[in-house]
Amino acid sequence: MDKIVINGGVPLRGEVQVSGAKNSALPLLFATLLTDGVSEISNVPELRDISTAIKLLGELGAEVTLDNHRCRIDSRRIESIQASYDLVKTMRASVLVLGPLLARCGHARVSLPGGCAIGARPINLHLKGLEALGAKIHIDHGYVEATAPRLRGARISFDLPTVGGTENLLMAAALAQGETVLENAAREPEVVQLAQALMSMGVKIEGAGTAIVQIQGVDRLDPLHCQVIPDRIEAGTFMIAAAMTAGDVLVRGALRKDLEALISKLIEAGVRISEEGDALRVIGPKKPTPVDIRTSVFPGFPTDMQAQFMALMTLAEGSSRIAETVFENRFMHVCELQRMGADIQIDGNSAMIRGVKQLTGAPVMATDLRASASLILAGLAAENTTEVSRIYHLDRGYERIEEKLATLGARIRRERE
């Protein structure tokens, strides 16, 4: 098993390129199940979750190759309608095969994903929406069994905005008969890209990026050809890395329109941010100003940036408060930051952070993907050596992050434990 070793205290300087967004690439890969042609997707990040998705597509019968961030998917022959527990348990986004498999094949059998370290994320809203489209659904031995000779358009109102639910229903509605209207739909950039991809395949969609999305289903779809958008969470992580180390970094591929909530809070914290072409220049302060945040669905402050922002606030000149409203168990990085000298107190879904003069390197353990990133950020700013273990979480969502940080001057390396 690998670990990341960091000798902190170096201001980061230079340029870094943001990879394609994992959370956009995954639904795009599964959307290719809707067509009986050969699709090609570029700027695909080479990550553990992408490998899992490719393996799942292969088990369903598609022929998939990934070379130099370009993925070719031949989905002309779909020979299985089952997504097994062995794959779904390692990546809950695998449940996104449910909508396209059901729409194309009339039948899908997908393992229930269960919970995860950051909290329960049930798929009841996915299933409720598919039932509204005419699917018959029952749970059998931990699998969702869904059948429908042909889905029919319907008006579906989500109780809460759900990214996965919106994506699953977008794909299912693409081949449904008639019009589907999704109310209280998720508005994330990754959802918008999926809608745009489906439109390029022949579906008429209006309202993507708003709370009400209208989909006019078609009988068949053309193959998909698109480029994955940059990863806004990776971009935000590099921006905070520059801020925490009083650095000066040009983050290429960082899209301001997708990062407004984070940018406004970083500016409030004293970070200088300017646009330079397709990049954002980030210059960190000597000492951050304390800032309160409250996570929310897009366009609010992203829960996937909460742990990283908390790492920044551990060095602020004063006290800040973070309220986590999306997941109920997303403060597991706190005890590890405390091992590095952070002063943090938890009260329910809120964390009070009192800034300290300096963090100190220590052996720490990652508990989830974004917690891994927060500990690396803390290590970059800390005195002495930090060792982050259990980084298999990190490899699910960050492409060679240690190599990218090293090009900015960070003293960071990957070692075998």
Side-chain angles (χ1 to χ4, degrees):
M1 192 177 296
D2 290 354
K3 64 181 177 181
I4 295 289
V5 180
I6 309 154
N7 294 311
V10 178
L12 302 186
R13 302 191 185 281
E15 298 183 11
V16 64
Q17 179 65 49
V18 176
S19 297
K22 177 199 74 160
N23 289 340
S24 191
L26 291 173
L28 291 174
L29 286 169
F30 295 139
T32 64
L33 292 169
L34 293 164
T35 178
D36 60 356
V38 180
S39 301
E40 194 170 274
I41 305 172
S42 61
N43 200 33
V44 177
E46 296 181 3
L47 303 166
R48 181 173 295 182
D49 277 7
I50 297 298
S51 297
T52 300
I54 290 173
K55 185 176 181 181
L56 175 54
L57 288 170
E59 288 194 358
L60 296 175
E63 295 181 9
V64 188
T65 58
L66 175 60
D67 181 45
N68 194 27
H69 299 97
R70 187 175 294 274
C71 198
R72 181 183 184 275
I73 309 100
D74 183 344
S75 55
R76 286 175 289 189
R77 292 175 54 189
I78 298 302
E79 300 169 342
S80 171
I81 49 84
Q82 176 167 302
S84 68
Y85 171 71
D86 286 343
L87 286 175
V88 178
K89 72 178 180 181
T90 64
M91 185 187 71
R92 65 170 291 113
S94 302
V95 76
L96 292 177
V97 302
L98 182 58
L101 268 183
L102 178 61
R104 178 174 173 181
C105 302
H107 186 195
R109 189 170 190 265
V110 179
S111 172
L112 285 167
C116 71
I118 60 173
R121 290 183 282 178
I123 62 167
N124 57 305
L125 298 182
H126 303 228
L127 304 185
K128 182 180 176 182
L130 291 173
E131 286 180 325
L133 293 177
K136 293 183 179 179
I137 294 175
H138 71 277
I139 310 298
D140 179 47
H141 294 90
Y143 280 80
V144 175
E145 292 263 10
T147 57
R150 176 77 188 271
L151 295 172
R152 296 182 178 274
R155 181 173 291 270
I156 299 165
S157 182
F158 292 113
D159 297 334
L160 298 167
T162 160
V163 172
T166 300
E167 291 171 340
N168 238 334
L169 271 293
L170 273 172
M171 290 186 282
L175 288 177
Q177 186 175 30
E179 183 181 74
T180 298
V181 179
L182 304 181
E183 298 177 342
N184 201 20
R187 300 161 58 185
E188 275 73 3
E190 297 79 14
V191 174
V192 174
Q193 173 155 61
L194 175 62
Q196 292 171 339
L198 293 171
M199 291 169 65
S200 74
M201 297 168 76
V203 185
K204 183 179 179 181
I205 299 176
E206 296 180 357
T210 74
I212 299 178
V213 182
Q214 298 170 285
I215 309 106
Q216 190 68 44
V218 294
D219 292 333
R220 67 175 301 277
L221 295 177
D222 297 325
L224 173 59
H225 297 274
C226 71
Q227 177 174 306
V228 178
I229 59 174
D231 192 319
R232 61 193 172 99
I233 304 303
E234 183 189 16
T237 301
F238 287 127
M239 292 170 73
I240 291 182
M244 284 195 71
T245 62
D248 182 349
V249 175
L250 194 67
V251 185
R252 294 206 172 277
L255 302 179
R256 187 175 191 119
K257 66 182 179 64
D258 295 344
L259 292 161
E260 288 291 359
L262 172 63
I263 288 171
S264 66
K265 290 298 183 180
L266 286 176
I267 291 173
E268 194 177 336
V271 182
R272 291 158 56 194
I273 300 173
S274 59
E275 289 187 75
E276 296 189 12
D278 67 342
L280 294 176
R281 188 177 208 91
V282 184
I283 301 175
K286 289 184 179 180
K287 200 74 172 171
T289 300
V291 176
D292 295 341
I293 65 167
R294 182 180 183 86
T295 64
S296 183
V297 296
F298 190 86
F301 193 95
T303 181
D304 278 353
M305 286 304 306
Q306 177 258 107
Q308 299 93 310
F309 199 86
M310 182 182 289
L312 175 63
M313 289 296 97
T314 63
L315 295 174
E317 208 157 32
S319 298
S320 58
R321 183 177 292 276
I322 293 178
E324 173 58 60
T325 70
V326 180
F327 294 119
E328 71 276 12
N329 194 25
R330 205 162 197 180
F331 284 146
M332 291 189 295
H333 49 280
V334 168
C335 60
E336 301 302 302
L337 289 173
Q338 288 170 334
R339 287 173 53 80
M340 300 178 69
D343 185 351
I344 308 171
Q345 289 185 325
I346 302 297
D347 182 14
N349 72 334
S350 292
M352 174 67 75
I353 306 103
R354 295 178 178 86
V356 297
K357 184 177 180 180
Q358 182 71 61
L359 295 174
T360 304
V364 291
M365 183 176 65
T367 53
D368 60 72
L369 172 55
R370 306 308 172 185
S372 305
S374 74
L375 297 177
I376 286 176
L377 293 175
L380 292 173
E383 290 181 331
N384 302 323
T385 302
T386 298
E387 295 186 1
V388 184
S389 61
R390 293 181 65 181
I391 61 165
Y392 55 85
H393 295 291
L394 190 74
D395 294 333
R396 289 185 45 238
Y398 289 94
E399 187 175 24
R400 303 187 312 276
I401 189 172
E402 74 280 5
E403 295 178 21
K404 292 185 177 183
L405 289 169
T407 66
L408 299 175
R411 295 177 295 189
I412 183 171
R413 64 188 184 275
R414 180 181 293 245
E415 292 184 358
R416 297 291 294 177
E417 288 195 89

